[in-house]
Amino acid sequence: MSVTAIPMVWLLAFFALPFVFVLKISLAEADIAVPPYTALLSWVDDKVLSIRIDFGKFLFLFEDNLYLAAYVGSLKIAAVSTFFCLLVAFPIALFIARQSAEMRLLWLAVVMLPFWTSMLLRVYAWIGILQSNGIVNSVLVWLGVIDEPLALLQTDFAVYLGIVYTYLPFMVLPLYATLEKLDETLLEASADLGARPATSFFTITLPLALPGVVAGCVLVFVPAVGEFVIPALMGGPDTLMIGRVLWDEFFSNRDWPMASAVAIVMLIVLVVPVMLLRSRGRQQSFGHG
């Protein structure tokens, strides 16, 4: 039995088959029935096999500004959140990588500590912190910095903060795995040659950490694009993301084919660049080899 057989079976069961099922629904038509969509194949008079495939929903996605705005908004929020997540995670990962073996385990446990509680509870905790009578506004008013509470909740700032906080460990761990293998003698040699710490960072540390940067950005960006809970609870009414559109199509409009078409396009937008990036990484690794 091949070593890759189990991962392939896993991908087939939990990615390929659900993808085919969703693709099938996206090509059907909405119907007031259970399930709420028509069959692609049906028999007419028990003699003629009829095939009904509807591509109109995919065309409608590029004609309706709502869906285009949702895709653009999701990509923008995910990209900005990934950038700030990288800015916060890189010094944390570098700090942990330079600790002793015993202290590394302690700091990694601290990074993983939020995963021990439900993400929903953590989001509600941030709601309590950011609301008008929350900790932040109360402290600022008490210090005299502001005269009245700031509108921190139900804003894009709250959404960015929630996503960065939630997905920060996904950025820290790949960066740590790469930085932990960094040969510090290279930094010592750079310092001996007169390079400043900033120069050594941009010429040695950052290039060698690029595999971890790419892995961390992918792990944060992909789930952030389809995030629903954080924008719904912490974002404002004008915070439009594709996760909310999917929810509305599935449960409010009960238009499963339209929702499936939205999901298929989003999956293509996410998977194709990741596959191209992975293919390019393999070509570079073979080229160096």
Side-chain angles (χ1 to χ4, degrees):
M1 185 176 181
S2 175
V3 178
T4 61
I6 295 179
M8 291 302 295
V9 171
W10 180 273
L11 289 175
L12 178 64
F14 295 99
F15 178 78
L17 292 181
F19 176 80
V20 172
F21 184 71
V22 174
L23 179 62
K24 169 193 169 186
I25 298 177
S26 69
L27 297 175
E29 298 178 2
D31 191 13
I32 303 176
V34 179
Y37 54 88
T38 59
L40 299 182
L41 303 177
S42 60
W43 289 96
V44 179
D45 297 331
D46 297 331
K47 296 180 181 179
V48 179
L49 181 62
S50 174
I51 303 177
R52 299 182 61 180
I53 299 178
D54 181 15
F55 292 99
K57 293 174 290 299
F58 290 96
L59 298 176
F60 185 70
L61 288 178
F62 299 97
E63 297 174 356
D64 194 313
N65 292 331
L66 172 66
Y67 300 103
L68 292 176
Y71 283 120
V72 173
S74 298
L75 293 174
K76 184 197 75 171
I77 291 177
V80 174
S81 300
T82 302
F83 174 74
F84 282 106
C85 207
L86 178 61
L87 288 183
V88 176
F90 204 103
I92 295 176
L94 188 61
F95 169 78
I96 297 175
R98 292 181 176 178
Q99 302 300 308
S100 61
E102 296 80 6
M103 293 302 297
R104 288 177 185 176
L105 294 176
L106 175 62
W107 286 111
L108 286 175
V110 172
V111 171
M112 297 297 296
L113 192 62
F115 280 92
W116 297 358
T117 58
S118 171
M119 186 190 75
L120 192 59
L121 293 178
R122 286 179 274 143
V123 172
Y124 273 111
W126 274 110
I127 293 176
I129 294 173
L130 297 178
Q131 61 187 358
S132 58
N133 58 346
I135 297 176
V136 174
N137 278 311
S138 299
V139 171
L140 292 178
V141 171
W142 180 73
L143 293 175
V145 178
I146 57 177
D147 296 327
E148 57 184 23
L150 300 174
L152 300 177
L153 199 59
Q154 308 299 323
T155 61
D156 288 344
F157 166 76
V159 175
Y160 291 132
L161 180 62
I163 293 178
V164 170
Y165 168 76
T166 301
Y167 293 105
L168 186 63
F170 292 103
M171 184 70 76
V172 172
L173 295 180
L175 287 173
Y176 163 76
T178 304
L179 293 172
E180 189 268 338
K181 301 175 183 178
L182 181 64
D183 189 357
E184 294 188 1
T185 58
L186 297 176
L187 299 176
E188 295 176 359
S190 177
D192 292 339
L193 293 174
R196 296 181 178 180
T199 304
S200 298
F201 174 80
F202 285 106
T203 57
I204 297 176
T205 304
L206 186 58
L208 293 178
L210 280 181
V213 171
V214 173
C217 289
V218 171
L219 289 175
V220 173
F221 181 81
V222 171
V225 170
E227 181 60 50
F228 168 73
V229 174
I230 296 174
L233 296 179
M234 303 181 67
D238 57 340
T239 303
L240 184 61
M241 293 189 69
I242 205 65
R244 183 54 188 265
V245 174
L246 281 172
W247 173 274
D248 291 338
E249 293 291 354
F250 266 117
F251 299 102
S252 298
N253 302 335
R254 283 187 61 80
D255 192 345
W256 288 24
M258 192 67 205
S260 300
V262 172
I264 291 294
V265 172
M266 183 181 69
L267 186 63
I268 293 175
V269 169
L270 293 177
V271 171
V272 171
V274 171
M275 293 180 64
L276 293 176
L277 186 63
R278 182 179 179 184
S279 176
R280 183 178 178 183
R282 285 183 175 180
Q283 292 177 358
Q284 290 179 350
S285 62
F286 286 139
H288 289 304

